[in-house]
Each structure stands twice: as C-alpha cells, then as structure tokens.
Amino acid sequence: MATRVSDKASSLFMLALFAVIVMLSLILVVFGSNVYRAIEQGRTADNVARAGTAYIISRVESVDAADALSRRAGPEGDMLILAENVSGQTYETRLYLSDGELCEEYALAGAPVDTENATAIVASDVFDFSYSRGLLTVTTSSGTQCVALQTSQGGAGL
Amino acid sequence: MNDVFKQGERPTPDKANSRSRAFYLEVLLLLAGFAFVSVVIFQLFGSAYNLSVDATRTENALTSARNVAETFSASQDDASFEAALAGLPGFADVMREGSRVTLKTDTGLFVGVNLSAKPQSAGMMRSASITVFSGDTGEGEPLYSLESEAYESGRGVVA
C-alpha cells in the first residue's frame, strides 16, 4: 500500500516537474520573441531615419548653388525643388509627399508633376522645410535634419 | 552493492531507496542545469536589448550633434548661432554662458557646445566642440562628440 502511494507521489512529482520545465521554456520563448521584436523595431526605425535624412541631405548638398532650391505647391503640401543645369537644360529634383511617402521625382523644369514617375524614398506623414540665413531645415516623420548651404544664395527661392 | 536485479527479482527496500535517491539527484541536477541555461539566455536577451537601446540613443545623439554642427556652419557669429538653435524644432532650453552654449533635445539628451575663435590673416576661424550627453544635464555619459569649424570673414586681426 505504501509503495503504491509512493509511486503515485513520484508520478505527480514527475508531472509537476515536467509542467514547470514546459512553463519556463514557454516564458523564455515569449520573452525572447518580445525582445527580438523590440530590437527589430528599433533597428528599423534607426535605418529609416538614417536612410531618409541622409538621402535628402546628400541630394541638397549635390545641387548647392545660387537659386538652386525653391518651393512650389505639390500633390500634398509644398514640394522642395532642387534645380540643376545639365547641358544647357534645367532639370528639377522634386521632393514631395504622396500617399504617406516622401517621393522624389526627376523631371525637366516646367514639366507637370507626375506622381507615377516618382520614386518613394521613405515612409513619412510629414514633410516640412524652411530656410533661414543659410540653414535649410527639413522635417519628416523620422525627425528634423539641418543642412548648411555653402552657397549664400542657395535657398533664395525658398 | 550490486543494483542490477535479475529477472523476477524484487528490489529490497534499501535498494529501492538508493534508486530513488539517485533519481532525485538526477532531477535536481537537471533542474539546476535548466535554470543555469535559462539565466544565461535571459542575460543574452537582456544584453541584446540594451545594445539596441544604446544604438538608438547613439543615433539620436549623432543626429543632434550633426544638426548643431550644421547650424554652427551656417551661422555668422556666436549670437546668431544661439538664436538659430533656439528656433530649431527638437531643441529646447538653449542657454549661453560665455563661450559655452547648452541645450536639451526632445529625445532626452543634453548638448554642450564649447565655442572658440582663432584670428586669421583675414577674418576669424570659429570652432565648436560639440558633445552630446545622456540625460538632461551635462553630467551624463558622453555619447557623441563632433568638432566643427566655420570661417567668418571681415572680423579678424590682420597680421
């Protein structure tokens, strides 16, 4: 009789032990997946912020010349125009918001805006820019980025 | 003490107790091993998360330092630099004490800028030593440092 009780207790103990190990493993897996998700979200946010702002800065710096930058009405709010002269023709790089994305369109100056030809740079709900005393300030959903224009009249059109 | 039983032989109580003790010892070792591995894995996950938080903080520090440096490059003098910083989104509490400008960012960082100027043959070479600290005082851990220079013409000692 005592042996039977002992066997039963031993079985219960084994079952409880198994349950504890399974529970701990589950907690570990859930904790790990949450941490991984948080890390991945942070990494993605950093990449988006870096890629978006770095691209805008490099584009602005590449056309830093007198009257190169101007503002015009775009599909959703104002668009930033970066003008450059290529073989006697003036081409424009237009940066504007369209369908929740910051887009870039390269076109001949004066051509109408065509969102179908635009390339999405980064997802953003905001695109705002201002110019004051040689400093261009661009704000997107990723944050604010400043660019010091080397040409004192680079932002005369803004 | 031979614990191997022949077929049909029932273990004596002493032998059964001995087997039971061995089993519990084995279970105890298994649990200890599992706990040890769990602690190591938890620590690894924790370290990875901390690294990720540090990376985001460093990214914010870099962006803030770069914005301050660009603002310094575009400014004409220390006063206009301070005024331009005060007008930028994301920056607050811009203060200037002598040659040091301090400000706080909306990402919870503190930026200290030490300004200096060196007369050139024509004009002045202005320098800014920018350091971004964690926390909202200048006593936190320095996260990122950046040096910036801007030439100011027409205000220098002619050699």
Side-chain angles (χ1 to χ4, degrees), chain A residues 1 6 17 27 37 40 80 85 94 101 108 113 118 127 143-144 155 158:
Chain A
M1 186 69 184
S6 172
L17 186 69
I27 290 171
R37 191 187 303 127
E40 185 59 24
L80 177 62
N85 201 298
R94 301 155 176 172
E101 298 204 274
L108 200 63
V113 174
F127 181 54
T144 298
L158 286 166

Side-chain angles (χ1 to χ4, degrees), chain A residues 145-146, chain B residues 58-73 81 85 91 103 105 107 109-113 128-133 143-148:
Chain A
Q145 197 65 53
C146 302
Chain B
T58 307
E59 178 75 26
N60 289 335
L62 188 148
T63 304
S64 298
R66 196 165 53 189
N67 281 347
V68 171
E70 291 286 338
T71 308
F72 177 77
S73 296
F81 171 56
L85 283 177
F91 290 158
L103 56 98
T105 73
T107 49
L109 301 173
F110 181 91
V111 184
V113 186
S129 177
I130 304 159
T131 308
V132 184
F133 299 90
L143 296 174
Y144 193 79
S145 290
L146 190 64
E147 301 289 329
S148 181

Side-chain angles (χ1 to χ4, degrees), chain A residues 60-140:
Chain A
V60 169
E61 285 177 342
S62 68
V63 296
D64 190 357
D67 296 330
L69 274 64
S70 58
R71 178 194 295 264
R72 208 183 303 156
E76 297 173 26
D78 286 350
M79 61 181 179
L80 177 62
I81 309 286
L82 315 173
E84 58 188 317
N85 201 298
V86 181
S87 309
Q89 291 269 30
T90 304
Y91 289 88
E92 293 178 345
T93 301
R94 301 155 176 172
L95 297 169
Y96 53 80
L97 269 187
S98 178
D99 292 332
E101 298 204 274
L102 180 61
C103 299
E104 180 194 60
E105 181 188 345
Y106 190 73
L108 200 63
V113 174
D114 183 5
T115 54
E116 296 294 314
N117 283 335
T119 307
I121 301 170
V122 66
S124 179
D125 297 325
V126 182
F127 181 54
D128 191 21
F129 53 93
S130 62
Y131 177 80
S132 175
R133 297 183 178 184
L135 187 71
L136 176 72
T137 308
V138 181
T139 302
T140 63

